[in-house]
Amino acid sequence: MKVKEIVEKLGLQIYAGHQGLEKEISGGYCADLLSDVMGNSKQGMVWITLQNHKNVIAVASLKDLSAVILVNGTKPHVDTAEQAQAENIPILGTSAGAFETAGKLWHLLNYI
Amino acid sequence: MELKFHIMGGDFSNAGSASSEIKRVLKQINVPSDIIKSIVVALYEAEVNIVAHAYEGDMVVDVQPDRLIAVLSDKGPGIPDIELAMQEGYSTASPKVREMGFGAGMGLPNIQKNTDILNISSTPGEGTKVSFTVFFKPKS
């Protein structure tokens, strides 16, 4: 499944990184600790978090993640959005929480 | 090939840029992708440790035909008890740093898990030196 498909199916907002919407998704990882994501996420995953500072994009880029979903209506900082745009990493957003978002994404990736 | 980067303590907006540059170089010289993935985790954690804990530091990365050797030396508070610092979950990071999602006490364990040789030496009140080696061989 591509990033643009989960945007459509989960009704996500796109804050930055439109160029990356065609990326394939291999799974998801839900965490707000950056070292947890560094240590345990895998290439192609979508990262669900409420962290919205620039380092999120550094981690997503170093780990080759497909996209970041900010939960609870969190918006990216201006420099976060700029970096995401430069690195072609979609930053998406939802008013839903991490549990609900992860549940819906898991269902999409496993049953659709 | 030797690459050098200067890292400023507290400069979170650039944290990861040195690691990102080395990742790009390793891809160019066709280091196996699973090895690059391990190296990137170790480098990033070591880079962030300087940003989060030290005043300033240097990252020197020596890329040889069969291995990468990284040496990160900083001027900073040092680590009084390295064994304790290696324990997963132990951290001395400030509340501000923790709010950003750093300081989970996973940095040094992440470095250890992703390197073949790791050495840490430190003088409290002066600084810390973290050196590690990763071999470019397939993982068994």
Side-chain angles (χ1 to χ4, degrees):
Chain A
M1 187 169 289
K2 289 182 175 176
V3 175
K4 67 175 184 187
E5 292 173 73
I6 66 156
V7 168
E8 191 186 314
K9 292 193 164 79
L10 299 180
L12 304 172
Q13 194 161 347
I14 305 170
Y15 292 118
H18 292 73
Q19 299 276 348
L21 291 173
E22 294 290 332
K23 286 183 190 174
E24 279 292 331
I25 297 168
S26 65
Y29 201 76
C30 191
D32 300 320
L33 295 174
L34 273 59
S35 285
D36 183 7
V37 180
M38 274 315 288
N40 298 313
S41 69
K42 300 275 185 292
Q43 181 171 3
M45 283 183 170
V46 172
W47 176 13
I48 297 167
T49 185
L50 48 71
Q51 296 289 358
N52 58 351
H53 52 81
K54 195 180 165 192
N55 297 272
V56 167
I57 303 305
V59 171
S61 169
L62 286 166
K63 296 292 289 186
D64 298 316
L65 304 182
S66 286
V68 177
I69 302 178
L70 301 181
V71 294
N72 291 343
T74 309
K75 293 181 173 61
H77 292 172
V78 173
D79 58 356
T80 309
E82 285 170 357
Q83 191 68 26
Q85 197 69 28
E87 306 233 14
N88 298 330
I89 296 169
I91 302 194
L92 314 169
T94 175
S95 57
F99 177 76
E100 188 181 331
T101 306
K104 284 179 177 172
L105 181 62
W106 188 87
H107 187 264
L108 268 183
L109 293 175
N110 287 282
Y111 288 105
I112 307 286
Chain B
M1 178 180 11
E2 195 173 85
L3 300 143
K4 283 186 188 176
F5 302 87
H6 190 65
I7 300 159
M8 291 306 296
D11 183 14
F12 280 98
S13 71
N14 285 312
S17 57
S19 304
S20 181
E21 176 62 20
I22 292 161
K23 180 186 174 190
R24 196 182 60 75
V25 169
L26 295 176
K27 272 187 173 176
Q28 270 180 354
I29 60 168
N30 293 317
V31 173
S33 68
D34 61 329
I35 306 283
I36 296 181
K37 286 181 169 69
S38 291
I39 290 170
V40 160
V41 173
L43 281 176
Y44 178 78
E45 295 289 6
E47 186 178 352
V48 164
N49 275 348
I50 294 179
V51 175
H53 297 284
Y55 314 124
E56 61 174 330
D58 289 299
M59 177 194 277
V60 180
V61 175
D62 182 15
V63 183
Q64 298 183 4
D66 67 335
R67 73 193 71 183
L68 173 145
I69 302 166
V71 180
L72 293 100
S73 41
D74 70 50
K75 288 179 192 155
I79 306 172
D81 186 339
I82 291 170
E83 203 179 323
L84 184 59
M86 290 300 296
Q87 284 181 19
E88 199 136 354
Y90 180 83
S91 176
T92 59
S94 68
K96 180 178 168 285
V97 167
R98 286 175 200 253
E99 272 174 30
M100 292 175 76
F102 296 111
M106 297 173 73
L108 290 176
N110 265 355
I111 296 174
Q112 187 159 50
K113 281 177 205 161
N114 286 284
T115 55
D116 294 307
I117 303 167
L118 170 64
N119 286 300
I120 303 172
S121 57
S122 187
T123 309
E126 288 183 22
T128 299
K129 184 172 161 184
V130 173
S131 324
F132 60 80
T133 301
V134 178
F135 295 102
F136 300 159
K137 58 169 171 30
K139 284 192 179 149
S140 51

